[in-house]
């Protein structure tokens, strides 16, 4: 993308005020994640003071949990986990989904049939239950969570990319490439793919939000990586003291809500800016 | 061709299309079982405390675990067909029986959730579409946006804090007050009372979805030619919205209600474990803790089959509601 394109994109993007707000919030959360080690240098699992301190007491901004862990530190360190897993899982899912959808759409015929039946099957399977099962079988770790989220998210991308490839593969510019003797691979990656990047970016950005929700659900159920702090883990750990320490569950949940909301707003902003035709329909 | 014969053919065709998907799900299930470390015999030996290698080999032979993979797959398929899903060593019960026992509470939760989410979603979407770009529309849009981003388990916990712990309106967990030994209508009332919070929690996400869908569907129908015709005939706006547009706008919402069943099952795992609702989701949560993979796979298989079945039913109902489907 050239500088001019970027400037044009930004002009379109900033017309949607809520999308700009979403971007600002997201930037703040990224900053929080990046500075977690600076403001909370200690291990977030470490006992930091008196257990069950209410917010704004005992040196805890957002209180402490039943083991005296700092909730604010947990949120700051958990931001890294959530953003990282959301982003990596989405990248893997988009990569794999684009490959499947691209092959199916470009070649058609039995390849299309085979790949699309597979996609359908994956879409039929209840995705969250499937993710739980995959993590339970692979043992909880960052890698297994990323794989599980990617496995349940790729079909949507595959369908999208297949549709785009299907509509583009008989266009004149693609036929011209065939005449020039370009290889299939080069046509797919160099010619067709760049033309369907906008819907992929929009879908991908919304998928990051879903991935963060799935990750928080998994770690809430106790399927998070045991060595890494995450928002879902904080809420799951705070559940047992809900009666006496409401803040342990409340603040990490708000963090998830705000992050997912911000990403959804950014995704909608991308949609408006990248597909100007669709704007009137909303 | 006769109309009802055509319809029957469509139903048969859809049934045939569902078969390979069911088969594929069973095969996936089988391979997941194999991916897991250790087999049933290892679990048995672990439970018993000690077992000689000879005894374990004998057990493997008995369960057919020493046979080549394709043979094992065939045995597994046969077992699944006769609804034998293996044995849960934690609960000391066949998985199929456990799963069936817990199926009813989940069904109760899901049906009440769908009714609430679809019903209220249709009303909210209608209000939003009728008052397009008014404060009502904006408020509903913001509500949908926020609930769309809220983790279900957190909503559930916050509901417990506010409505159970602080206000004391609803019980915190469970399906009924077992110690009270309610019978008849008292028991129904007790269960309904316990059902309120889980249902509201689980329906919030889908409520947002159906609200958005209903609004979009209403707006799409409002631009159709038949609306212009009706208006030209002098039909009142009220009648156009509530009789003409509403009826046509409902169809896609009803279809979506079926499509979302898979996601609903995932949501019920979370909601049931928050509210200790004794259904399949809670069972899955317990199985997770006990590392009871057989049971987890059984729940997974049943929920996947449920999705296939619901999709099938929705497709067939849809074809009855909308005669155009059969033509294509």
């Amino acid at each position: 993308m050239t500088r001019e394109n970027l400037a044009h994109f930004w002009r379109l993007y900033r017309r949607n005020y809520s999308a700009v707000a979403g971007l600002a919030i997201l930037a703040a959360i990224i900053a929080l994640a990046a500075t977690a080690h600076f403001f909370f240098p200690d291990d977030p699992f470490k006992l930091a003071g008196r257990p069950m301190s209410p917010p704004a007491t005992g040196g805890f901004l957002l209180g402490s949990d039943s083991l005296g862990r700092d909730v604010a530190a947990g949120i700051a360190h958990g931001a890294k986990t959530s953003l990282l897993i959301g982003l990596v899982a989405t990248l893997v899912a988009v990569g794999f989904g684009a490959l499947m959808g691209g092959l199916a759409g470009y070649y058609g015929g039995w390849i299309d049939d085979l790949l699309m039946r597979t996609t359908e099957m994956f879409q039929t399977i209840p995705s969250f239950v499937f993710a739980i099962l995959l993590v339970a079988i692979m043992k909880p770790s960052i890698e297994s969570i990323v794989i599980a989220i990617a496995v349940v998210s790729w079909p949507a991308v595959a369908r999208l990319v297949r549709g785009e490839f299907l509509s583009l593969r008989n266009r004149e510019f693609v036929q011209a490439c065939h005449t020039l003797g370009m290889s299939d691979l080069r046509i797919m990656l160099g010619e067709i793919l760049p033309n369907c990047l906008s819907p992929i970016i929009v879908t991908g950005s919304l998928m990051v939000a879903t991935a963060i929700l799935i990750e928080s659900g998994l770690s809430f159920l106790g399927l998070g990586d045991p060595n890494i702090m995450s928002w879902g883990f904080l809420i799951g750990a705070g559940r047992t003291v809900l009666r006496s320490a409401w803040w342990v569950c409340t603040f990490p949940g708000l963090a998830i809500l705000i992050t997912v909301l911000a990403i959804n707003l950014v995704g909608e902003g991308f949609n408006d800016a990248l597909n100007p035709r669709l704007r009137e329909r909303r | 061709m006769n109309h009802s014969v055509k319809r029957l053919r469509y139903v048969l065709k859809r049934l045939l299309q569902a078969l390979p998907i069911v088969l594929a799900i069973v095969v996936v299930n089988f391979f997941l079982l194999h991916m897991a470390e250790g087999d049933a015999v290892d679990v048995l030996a672990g439970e018993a405390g000690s077992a000689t290698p000879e005894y374990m080999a004998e057990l493997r032979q008995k369960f057919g675990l020493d046979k080549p993979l394709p043979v094992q797959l065939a045995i597994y398929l046969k077992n699944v067909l006769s609804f034998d899903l293996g044995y849960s060593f934690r609960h000391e019960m066949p998985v199929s029986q456990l799963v069936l026992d817990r199926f009813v509470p989940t069904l109760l939760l899901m049906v009440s959730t769908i009714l609430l989410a679809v019903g209220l979603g249709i009303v909210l979407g209608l209000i939003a579409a009728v008052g397009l770009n008014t404060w009502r529309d904006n408020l509903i849009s913001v509500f949908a946006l926020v609930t769309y981003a809220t983790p279900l388990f957190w909503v559930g916990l916050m509901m417990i804090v506010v409505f159970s712990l602080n206000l004391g309106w609803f019980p915190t967990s469970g399906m009924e007050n077992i110690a009270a030994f309610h019978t008849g209508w008292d028991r129904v009332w007790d269960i309904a009372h316990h059902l309120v919070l889980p249902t509201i929690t689980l329906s919030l996400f889908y409520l947002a979805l159906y609200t958005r869908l209903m609004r979009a569907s209403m707006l799409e129908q409002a631009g159709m030619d038949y609306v212009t015709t009706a208006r030209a005939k002098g039909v009142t706006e009220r009648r156009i919205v509530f009789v003409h547009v509403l009826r046509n706008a409902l169809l896609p919402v009803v279809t979506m209600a079926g499509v979302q069943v898979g996601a609903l099952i995932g949501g019920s795992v979370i909601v049931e474990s928050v509210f200790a609702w004794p259904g399949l989701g809670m069972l899955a949560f317990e199985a997770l803790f006990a590392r009871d993979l057989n049971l987890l796979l059984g729940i997974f298989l049943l929920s996947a089959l449920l999705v296939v079945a619901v999709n099938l039913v929705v497709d067939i109902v849809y074809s009855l509601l909308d005669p155009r489907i059969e033509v294509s």
Side-chain angles (χ1 to χ4, degrees):
Chain A
M1 212 187 242
T2 63
R3 239 179 124 150
E4 270 163 55
N5 276 341
L6 211 58
H8 179 64
F9 171 77
W10 175 243
R11 262 203 306 283
L12 288 173
Y13 184 89
R14 74 175 177 209
R15 289 204 295 211
N16 183 340
Y17 295 127
S18 53
V20 175
L23 196 63
I25 298 170
L26 189 61
I29 294 161
I30 293 172
L32 177 73
T35 56
H37 274 294
F38 181 70
F39 288 112
F40 304 99
D42 286 336
D43 181 0
F45 284 101
K46 214 188 82 181
L47 193 148
R50 215 165 64 83
M52 316 270 276
S53 308
T57 59
F60 294 116
L61 181 63
L62 301 177
S64 69
D65 73 358
S66 57
L67 295 175
R69 293 179 290 219
D70 187 355
V71 174
I75 290 178
H77 284 270
K80 262 187 312 191
T81 317
S82 288
L83 292 177
L84 187 76
I85 289 184
L87 198 65
V88 176
T90 302
L91 285 178
V92 175
V94 166
F96 188 72
L99 181 71
M100 290 290 145
L103 289 175
Y106 187 81
Y107 288 110
W110 68 269
I111 297 181
D112 186 27
D113 271 341
L114 180 73
L115 294 180
M116 281 304 113
R117 287 295 93 76
T118 316
T119 314
E120 255 169 48
M121 190 203 73
F122 273 92
Q123 282 197 315
T124 308
I125 294 175
S127 59
F128 189 68
V129 185
F130 194 35
I132 290 177
L133 196 59
L134 287 174
V135 177
I137 284 175
M138 290 185 287
K139 302 276 175 285
S141 70
I142 286 261
E143 293 84 10
S144 65
I145 293 171
V146 165
I147 293 172
I149 296 176
V151 166
V152 299
S153 332
W154 68 270
V157 185
R159 291 187 89 108
L160 172 86
V161 173
R162 173 183 173 264
E164 293 288 321
F165 267 60
L166 216 53
S167 73
L168 287 172
R169 72 167 178 193
N170 290 325
R171 289 279 197 81
E172 274 152 8
F173 76 94
V174 177
Q175 285 172 350
C177 294
H178 282 298
T179 333
L180 286 171
M182 271 191 204
S183 70
D184 284 351
L185 191 70
R186 214 177 130 195
I187 295 177
M188 277 192 268
L189 289 180
E191 304 295 330
I192 303 184
L193 190 61
N195 277 294
C196 52
L197 270 186
S198 343
I200 295 180
I201 290 173
V202 172
T203 311
S205 57
L206 295 173
M207 274 168 65
V208 176
T210 317
I212 289 179
L213 281 178
I214 298 178
E215 187 275 331
S216 70
L218 287 173
S219 47
F220 170 74
L221 291 177
L223 287 172
D225 191 320
N227 304 312
I228 289 161
M229 182 52 77
S230 74
W231 293 336
F233 167 80
L234 279 172
I235 300 176
R239 243 183 102 173
T240 46
V241 292
L242 197 59
R243 204 174 281 271
S244 45
W246 54 271
W247 55 89
V248 185
C249 285
T250 307
F251 294 120
L254 281 176
I256 299 173
L257 169 58
I258 292 168
T259 310
V260 173
L261 188 63
I263 295 172
N264 280 339
L265 289 176
V266 170
E268 279 190 15
F270 280 170
N271 193 27
D272 287 359
L274 292 170
N275 301 323
R277 278 169 295 134
L278 293 176
R279 195 174 311 120
E280 279 73 40
R281 275 175 46 185
R282 280 205 315 122
Chain B
M1 209 182 340
N2 178 312
H3 201 66
S4 55
V5 172
K6 250 179 164 175
R7 188 166 292 160
L8 197 67
R9 277 176 75 110
Y10 174 77
V11 171
L12 281 178
K13 203 181 100 197
R14 284 294 290 112
L15 272 173
L16 277 179
Q17 280 173 345
L19 267 184
I21 292 189
V22 170
L23 198 67
I25 289 171
V26 175
V27 172
V28 165
N29 220 17
F30 171 77
F31 282 108
L32 284 176
L33 193 62
H34 259 264
M35 255 172 71
E37 280 172 39
D39 54 21
V41 173
D42 288 321
V43 178
L44 265 181
E47 295 279 312
S50 69
T52 59
E54 291 79 24
Y55 178 60
M56 283 174 74
E58 193 184 313
L59 272 181
R60 284 212 169 84
Q61 202 178 4
K62 194 176 141 205
F63 289 131
L65 290 169
D66 56 341
K67 300 208 171 64
L69 213 57
V71 179
Q72 285 193 40
L73 178 60
I75 295 173
Y76 184 75
L77 281 175
K78 198 194 100 218
N79 286 346
V80 168
L81 278 180
S82 52
F83 210 65
D84 173 8
L85 299 174
Y87 195 77
S88 163
F89 297 100
R90 299 285 159 178
H91 293 264
E92 300 189 321
M93 257 168 115
V95 168
S96 49
Q97 198 189 332
L98 259 175
V99 166
L100 282 185
D101 282 353
R102 298 291 195 94
F103 189 58
V104 177
T106 296
L107 208 61
L108 187 64
L109 179 63
M110 278 172 59
V111 169
S112 58
T113 299
I114 290 179
L115 289 181
L116 180 67
V118 173
L120 202 57
I122 287 172
V123 173
L124 288 181
L126 184 70
I127 294 173
V130 170
L132 192 63
N133 292 329
T134 60
W135 65 269
R136 264 173 272 134
D137 182 25
N138 291 334
L139 191 71
I140 290 171
S141 295
V142 169
F143 165 77
L145 203 62
V146 171
T147 40
Y148 220 66
T150 321
L152 277 181
F153 56 90
W154 185 72
V155 178
L157 292 173
M158 293 301 113
M159 291 266 192
I160 291 179
V161 168
V162 176
F163 295 107
S164 300
L165 300 179
N166 285 334
L167 296 172
W169 289 354
F170 299 102
T172 52
S173 63
M175 188 169 87
E176 56 183 318
N177 191 352
I178 297 168
F181 295 108
H182 288 302
T183 49
W185 284 109
D186 282 346
R187 184 161 178 238
V188 172
W189 175 248
D190 189 34
I191 292 178
H193 192 210
H194 280 79
L195 190 61
V196 174
L197 287 187
T199 302
I200 293 177
T201 307
L202 187 54
S203 59
L204 270 183
F205 177 83
Y206 307 96
L207 184 59
L209 196 77
Y210 296 133
T211 303
R212 281 180 161 193
L213 198 69
M214 184 64 191
R215 180 177 178 273
S217 178
M218 287 289 289
L219 293 181
E220 195 189 332
Q221 291 294 329
M224 294 277 184
D225 286 344
Y226 71 86
V227 177
T228 317
T229 310
R231 200 165 283 143
K233 277 184 4 191
V235 180
T236 59
E237 279 303 311
R238 212 185 159 72
R239 201 176 148 74
I240 291 177
V241 169
F242 288 99
V243 178
H244 297 245
V245 176
L246 180 62
R247 272 196 203 171
N248 288 297
L250 280 178
L251 270 178
V253 180
V254 172
T255 324
M256 264 311 259
V259 173
Q260 287 301 319
V261 164
L264 203 58
I265 292 174
S268 73
V269 175
I270 285 201
V271 170
E272 286 180 17
S273 44
V274 167
F275 289 98
W277 184 261
L280 281 180
M282 185 69 199
L283 191 65
F285 185 62
E286 292 163 9
L288 262 183
F289 256 88
R291 300 269 163 235
D292 193 343
L293 268 181
N294 252 354
L295 181 54
L296 208 52
L297 280 162
I299 295 169
F300 172 64
L301 186 65
L302 185 74
S303 49
L305 293 183
L306 186 68
V307 175
V308 174
V310 170
N311 283 347
L312 203 64
V313 171
V314 168
D315 271 6
I316 291 167
V317 170
Y318 198 64
S319 81
L320 297 179
L321 290 177
D322 191 348
R324 282 170 300 182
I325 300 283
E326 281 174 88
V327 182
S328 57

